Amino acid sequence: MATLRLVHLYPDLMSVYGDRGNVLTLARRAQWRGYAVEVRASSLGDSLDPRQADLIFFGGGQDREQAVVSPDFLQQKGEAVREAVERGAALLSVCGGYQLLGTSYTTVDGQELPGAGLFDVRSVPGPRRHIGNVLIESDLAGETRTLVGFENHSGRTYLGPNVRPLGKTVVGAGNNGEDGTEGAVYKGAIGCYLHGSLLPKNPWLADLLLTKALAHQFHEPVELTPLDDHLEEQAHAAVVARVRGAGGRVRSGAW
Ligand code: GLN
């Protein structure tokens, strides 16, 4: 039986604010539908075979971890990740991982970390951190849907012409707090600032990624059987109500 292959990049270094929950969610939602799932970690020193990944996850981390990961990622994995996406694999990246998949990320101390260039985005440090709940509207599934998450970043990300945003911010700073965009999409790859865990309370996005990943594995379109998502939908609705009510801000301060 074919196995869905999930690759978790740097789980020991790049996984903050529940990011690992995204991998658990993807694995469970595939298993509940009867698919076999293999989750492989790929960290410092490990290579990555672009033909052996249906879905890649790259979570967030602080500047210190990003500086550790960056050279290894560029030398050992960046090209393979790009190739996997070009071959049709799905990818989800959050915050620090998203930044390292752009063309460059400059840390708060002014260190420029070159990125893998999967996304035509570049990230620069901002004068203050954006911290708080986020609500965005996204057309990724062919109709306008909401996504909720939690952001904590000082980096500001600006989109180039070869990438489109994941959505527009309703509450929160998103990519840069200026242009109303959040995240980036290139083929089956998504970058965003939404920690959370993101996917447990945004199941439609989890299923979009799974559909893409399963189609990559089976070389044909796959229709997912529906799951009973009433708890997930309740969680989503509760966060939407809270975020709208509170204006979304937890704290937003100067360095
Ligand atoms: N160090 C990055 C920033 O502050 C990413 C932080 C994160 O992944 N939460 O912008």
Side-chain angles (χ1 to χ4, degrees):
M1 183 187 172
T3 298
L4 185 72
R5 300 155 306 172
L6 307 184
V7 175
H8 190 171
L9 292 173
Y10 308 101
D12 48 344
L13 289 161
M14 300 284 289
S15 184
V16 288
Y17 314 120
D19 285 345
R20 185 168 165 269
N22 294 313
V23 177
L24 296 176
T25 301
L26 290 163
R28 283 291 149 76
R29 293 182 74 83
Q31 286 161 344
W32 287 335
R33 284 148 164 144
Y35 296 105
V37 178
E38 167 198 289
V39 179
R40 247 176 313 122
S42 183
S43 194
L44 295 179
D46 299 332
S47 60
L48 177 62
D49 183 344
R51 294 162 189 265
Q52 298 299 321
D54 300 310
L55 199 157
I56 298 168
F57 178 73
F58 198 175
Q62 300 313 327
D63 286 10
R64 195 169 37 141
E65 286 84 29
Q66 286 174 278
V68 170
V69 157
S70 166
D72 179 89
F73 182 57
L74 274 190
Q75 280 159 30
Q76 307 249 39
K77 304 176 185 67
E79 187 56 44
V81 168
R82 292 218 324 249
E83 190 183 328
V85 170
E86 293 299 337
R87 287 173 173 277
L91 178 144
L92 175 65
S93 57
V94 180
C95 203
Y98 168 38
Q99 292 168 343
L100 292 180
L101 284 164
T103 52
S104 72
Y105 170 60
T106 306
T107 68
V108 128
D109 297 333
Q111 187 184 359
E112 184 169 335
L113 307 176
L118 173 72
F119 297 117
D120 181 18
V121 305
R122 88 193 154 81
S123 305
V124 296
R128 64 191 185 95
R129 286 192 85 79
H130 292 297
I131 305 172
N133 294 318
V134 183
L135 170 64
I136 75 165
E137 286 176 351
S138 172
D139 295 332
L140 196 60
E143 56 179 339
T144 304
R145 308 283 303 255
T146 51
L147 289 171
V148 289
F150 172 77
E151 66 181 337
N152 184 353
H153 56 108
S154 63
R156 284 156 196 234
T157 297
Y158 296 91
L159 308 190
N162 296 324
V163 79
R164 62 193 164 104
L166 171 61
K168 60 178 199 287
T169 52
V170 179
V171 175
N175 279 325
N176 49 54
E178 294 162 31
D179 62 15
T181 67
E182 158 57 10
V185 177
Y186 173 72
K187 296 196 171 176
I190 297 171
C192 66
Y193 275 110
L194 305 173
H195 291 289
S197 307
L198 171 65
L199 295 181
K201 53 187 182 295
N202 297 287
W204 71 263
L205 186 64
D207 282 357
L208 206 78
L209 288 160
L210 276 182
T211 303
K212 181 92 190 156
L214 287 163
H216 181 257
Q217 167 60 234
F218 291 110
H219 306 289
E220 60 180 13
V222 169
E223 196 159 331
L224 292 177
T225 49
L227 295 174
D228 174 5
D229 277 336
H230 79 277
L231 287 177
E232 288 82 354
E233 299 301 350
Q234 266 178 32
H236 182 91
V239 180
V240 170
R242 187 189 306 166
V243 171
R244 284 193 194 277
R249 297 295 76 191
V250 175
R251 180 169 73 81
S252 197
W255 277 98

